[in-house]
Amino acid sequence: MTTSQLIGTDPGWISLVKGLLIFVVCVLATLMSVWGERRIVARMQQRLGPNRVGPFGLVQALADGVKLALKEDLIPKAADRIVFVLAPIISATTCFMSFAVIPLSGEVTLFGHKTVMQLTDIPVGVLYVLAIASVGVYGIVLAGWSSGSTYPLLGGLRSSAQVISYEVAMGLSLVAVFIYAGSMSTADIVAAQNQWWFCVTLFPSFVIYAISMVGETNRAPFDLAEAEGELVGGFHTEYSSLKFALFFLAEYVNIVAVSALATTLFLGGYHALPGLGFTENWLGGWFTVIWFLTKVVFFFFIFVWLRGTLPRLRYDQFMKFGWKVLIPFSLVWIMIVATLRVLSQQGAPRVVVIGFTTGVVLLVLAGSTLVESAKKRRIREDALGEVSAPSFPVPAIPGKSTTKEVIRETEQLNG
Amino acid sequence: MDNPLTPRSNDLGLTAAAKANKPIENQDAKSFFAQLQGFWVTFITMFKKVNTVQYPEVKEPTAERFHGRHQLNRYDDGLEKCIGCELCAWACPADAILVEGESNTEEERYSPGERYGKVYQINYLRCVFCGLCIEACPTRALTMTNEYELADDTRAKVIFEKEDLLAPLRAGQLQPPHPMAPGKTHIDYYRGDVKGDLNG
């Protein structure tokens, strides 16, 4: 029986139980990840992190949540009241919804019923996740707009521009997965990674996805929407109490969600590490959940590691990176993957496939050499241009006087 | 042909490299590996010993000459060193010290010599622990201890009075007011010629 058939036979109450379980897991994951992030970042800075509330400070996030709930709930006078209240609700609900199609385990028995830990399996599962993520952006845009204040508006604009831009790169990186798995259903994609995980066979896609998922979740080093030094708190500057807590929750659930999606699409989902396949039958199949969570935790650690290491990017550099590097790169990569796929499906001789691959590699090498030499020439011309700077003290402007005449004159002057 | 007025360029020696016709190193590749180095730094730091001190439970000693709470010292027989001159108050940049002097009498003597500090207050909400008062004190009456736990919950509680600041009586010291040691003057006290244990 396929996964979708298995899920199709679920009685209603099993679906309810699954939904509840997923919700509980998400909220718990948020609490744990807030704690985990603070502890890990602290370690990276040779500190201890929160260790007061409960054993090892485990209850810290819960205590913070209670504190937030007890705070005064302010709505600014200039705010659009209805939208202001609606925005955090949109954010917090959409972030949970993408978990509906994430397969958390292989075949298990739940209350004597054979099923999988996946709420539903739809043929366009991953598209559904992307769509939900886009709806989540509304939470950010509306929060920024309805606050009736400058910083939140700017922060909201930045966040939404960022999320939308990186969603393009993210969507493109997924195309290669769809081509290779031959399906958009998450269960089928996991099944297609029985032998080789897509992070190996589609490594460039994996890299693009890994970068864009950090951009997508507004996390460091791409957290310019909440750049404390520039925009106070970004889109949620004016939010307090439970509404702020909802945004906070949404951010962390989103991190877990993109990590879970990355696990599903590139790291073989609930499958065990290669060579440890026998563990998948342990605990009546429930051990697969542990494999899945381990991989999610791995991604979460990467998130924290990035935050602990890299400084924040400048906004224009960040957008440039998204539009001028990631998107063209993934477009070219998709073309290559698609061609290879078609060639192999059409039963093209091995020589053609190898020839095509060699051609691509040669083209890439030639292209990068050209780009590099152009860059070197530009640097040299900049440097030569600076020698002929005006004879009174003004700051040198690199690249302002790089015409050929200037260079020739300079060379003559220098002998 | 270097023009002395040419601004100093900040191009990291690229001009010189261009002049010497040397190949320019690829800065991008360098910075890429430098970034990876950063990841290693944060990773390895996770396994280092943490610097955190579990403060309320674990207290580490301060530096020896740490500027903490003030103390008004006594001579070995228990008489106060403070002569109420107010030089500390005048030296204080934060106006944290209030001193009111009073004359000693033969019946009621608190310090050797003519005057003593009757009122002595230090407001620890104002004090910046700069130590200028200690430098100003002519009799070494005022010094600083290493005690730093001075926080409290009302403003009144952090204005320390004379009795809070006075050094506790050691063995052999007698609670003033009491007369000076027989045959001794305030100059003998100042020179340290008066030993304690008058009664013993």
Side-chain angles (χ1 to χ4, degrees):
Chain A
M1 262 207 294
T2 63
T3 306
S4 48
Q5 281 168 327
L6 257 183
I7 294 170
T9 59
D10 278 349
W13 63 272
I14 283 272
S15 297
L16 267 180
V17 168
K18 278 194 207 167
L20 193 69
L21 273 179
I22 288 172
F23 180 75
V24 169
V25 165
C26 284
V27 173
L28 274 181
T30 307
L31 293 179
M32 292 311 295
S33 55
V34 172
W35 171 80
E37 179 181 22
R38 291 182 60 185
R39 290 287 283 200
I40 296 172
V41 161
R43 276 282 167 174
M44 286 177 173
Q45 298 162 351
Q46 267 187 297
R47 298 184 286 116
L48 275 177
N51 65 345
R52 296 266 142 191
V53 196
F56 305 108
L58 269 170
V59 203
Q60 180 70 46
L62 195 67
D64 286 347
V66 171
K67 185 205 77 175
L68 270 179
L70 296 175
K71 288 255 170 184
E72 185 185 0
D73 197 357
L74 280 172
I75 297 184
K77 243 183 189 170
D80 186 312
R81 294 185 71 92
I82 296 170
V83 183
F84 190 80
V85 176
L86 197 63
I89 297 175
I90 294 177
S91 262
T93 45
T94 50
C95 64
F96 284 108
M97 285 166 72
S98 51
F99 272 96
V101 294
I102 304 280
L104 301 176
S105 78
E107 262 187 47
V108 291
T109 315
L110 185 63
F111 299 116
H113 195 91
K114 216 172 184 193
T115 182
V116 291
M117 275 310 286
Q118 181 181 354
L119 192 56
T120 178
D121 186 50
I122 45 179
V124 288
V126 181
L127 276 195
Y128 161 81
V129 172
L130 287 180
I132 290 297
S134 311
V135 177
V137 182
Y138 277 96
I140 297 172
V141 183
L142 293 179
W145 173 79
S146 67
S147 293
S149 162
T150 322
Y151 284 140
L153 182 62
L154 288 172
L157 280 176
R158 271 191 182 191
S159 290
S160 41
Q162 173 177 343
V163 173
I164 290 168
S165 319
Y166 274 69
E167 222 162 63
V168 179
M170 189 186 235
L172 287 175
S173 74
L174 300 184
V175 172
V177 174
F178 299 156
I179 292 174
Y180 258 76
S183 168
M184 289 189 198
S185 138
T186 46
D188 291 349
I189 291 173
V190 172
Q193 297 178 77
N194 247 336
Q195 293 214 303
W196 286 97
W197 292 355
F198 283 146
C199 70
V200 180
T201 49
L202 300 171
F203 184 70
S205 291
F206 176 59
V207 171
I208 295 166
Y209 181 85
I211 296 173
S212 55
M213 78 179 185
V214 182
E216 167 90 9
T217 46
N218 287 335
R219 288 277 304 180
F222 301 151
D223 58 344
L224 355 96
E226 292 159 40
E228 293 89 355
E230 307 161 30
L231 292 176
V232 195
F235 63 87
H236 57 58
T237 304
E238 300 289 354
Y239 281 88
S240 51
S241 188
L242 268 184
K243 293 200 204 70
F244 173 74
L246 284 180
F247 278 124
F248 201 74
L249 180 78
E251 185 186 332
Y252 280 87
V253 175
N254 258 329
I255 294 170
V256 179
V258 289
S259 301
L261 193 64
T263 306
T264 307
L265 297 179
F266 293 102
L267 285 197
Y270 52 78
H271 283 310
L273 281 172
L276 294 172
F278 57 91
T279 56
E280 287 179 24
N281 295 323
W282 288 4
L283 305 173
W286 281 102
F287 202 77
T288 47
V289 179
I290 295 178
W291 278 116
F292 181 83
L293 289 180
T294 310
K295 291 170 188 177
V296 171
V297 167
F298 165 74
F299 274 112
F300 182 74
F301 176 76
I302 300 290
F303 267 108
V304 177
W305 199 4
L306 282 170
R307 186 189 149 184
T309 307
L310 296 180
R312 186 180 294 131
L313 264 76
R314 213 172 64 200
Y315 190 64
D316 60 325
Q317 290 170 336
F318 172 73
M319 288 310 248
K320 209 163 143 186
F321 182 64
W323 287 98
K324 292 187 176 173
V325 178
L326 282 187
I327 292 176
F329 186 75
S330 32
L331 277 175
V332 172
W333 170 244
I334 288 166
M335 291 299 289
I336 297 168
V337 168
T339 317
L340 279 175
R341 188 70 180 161
V342 169
L343 281 179
S344 67
Q345 272 177 347
Q346 305 274 325
R350 188 160 280 256
V351 188
V352 178
V353 178
I354 292 174
F356 174 74
T357 319
T358 324
V360 167
V361 171
L362 282 178
L363 264 177
V364 168
L365 282 179
S368 63
T369 315
L370 274 177
V371 169
E372 279 303 305
S373 65
K375 200 187 269 172
K376 266 184 199 169
R377 198 166 54 238
R378 203 166 56 242
I379 291 174
R380 194 175 298 134
E381 286 176 2
D382 282 359
L384 286 174
E386 243 170 63
V387 176
S388 66
S391 54
F392 52 91
V394 290
I397 305 166
K400 273 292 169 188
S401 51
T402 55
T403 54
K404 293 270 188 281
E405 291 77 31
V406 173
I407 294 162
R408 212 176 301 128
E409 272 173 33
T410 323
E411 275 168 355
Q412 280 166 2
L413 277 173
N414 294 337
Chain B
M1 287 298 283
D2 274 347
N3 188 334
L5 287 175
T6 305
R8 233 162 74 199
S9 66
N10 53 354
D11 66 347
L12 307 167
L14 280 174
T15 319
K19 273 183 187 169
N21 247 345
K22 274 182 199 154
I24 294 161
E25 285 174 62
N26 190 341
Q27 298 287 325
D28 289 357
K30 257 191 174 174
S31 63
F32 179 71
F33 284 110
Q35 297 223 328
L36 290 192
Q37 219 174 3
F39 279 99
W40 175 248
V41 169
T42 43
F43 188 77
I44 203 70
T45 309
M46 281 197 299
F47 306 102
K48 284 184 184 163
K49 197 177 161 286
V50 289
N51 285 326
T52 311
V53 179
Q54 297 289 328
Y55 165 59
E57 290 91 28
V58 182
K59 286 173 188 168
E60 291 203 344
T62 62
E64 238 175 87
R65 300 184 61 176
F66 177 83
H67 285 191
R69 182 180 66 79
H70 297 78
Q71 173 170 288
L72 284 172
N73 299 311
R74 298 171 187 276
Y75 288 108
D76 282 347
D77 68 347
L79 283 181
E80 295 160 12
K81 284 186 176 179
C82 179
I83 53 172
C85 67
E86 295 186 24
L87 280 178
C88 49
W90 284 95
C92 183
D95 200 9
I97 308 182
L98 172 80
V99 185
E100 275 174 23
E102 184 61 70
S103 292
N104 285 312
T105 56
E106 285 313 315
E107 299 81 47
E108 201 179 3
R109 171 170 293 284
Y110 289 92
S111 69
E114 205 178 311
R115 305 267 291 171
Y116 73 102
K118 191 178 186 210
V119 176
Y120 199 100
Q121 289 181 350
I122 296 182
N123 183 346
Y124 281 105
L125 288 175
R126 308 203 78 170
C127 178
V128 294
F129 299 92
C130 62
L132 287 178
C133 44
I134 278 72
E135 284 183 37
C137 184
T139 59
R140 285 302 267 161
L142 192 64
T143 52
M144 277 169 144
T145 63
N146 288 352
E147 194 190 324
Y148 52 85
E149 288 173 323
L150 297 169
D152 222 319
D153 50 9
T154 64
R155 285 164 192 276
K157 280 185 195 165
V158 284
I159 299 175
F160 280 49
E161 297 287 343
K162 189 179 172 187
E163 57 268 26
D164 306 319
L165 295 166
L166 265 175
L169 287 167
R170 289 197 309 272
Q173 287 184 328
L174 196 62
Q175 175 72 45
H178 62 76
M180 283 195 275
K184 301 285 187 181
T185 64
H186 66 278
I187 295 168
D188 298 321
Y189 271 93
Y190 185 74
R191 285 188 178 141
D193 290 343
V194 179
K195 299 292 167 230
D197 216 4
L198 290 174
N199 306 338

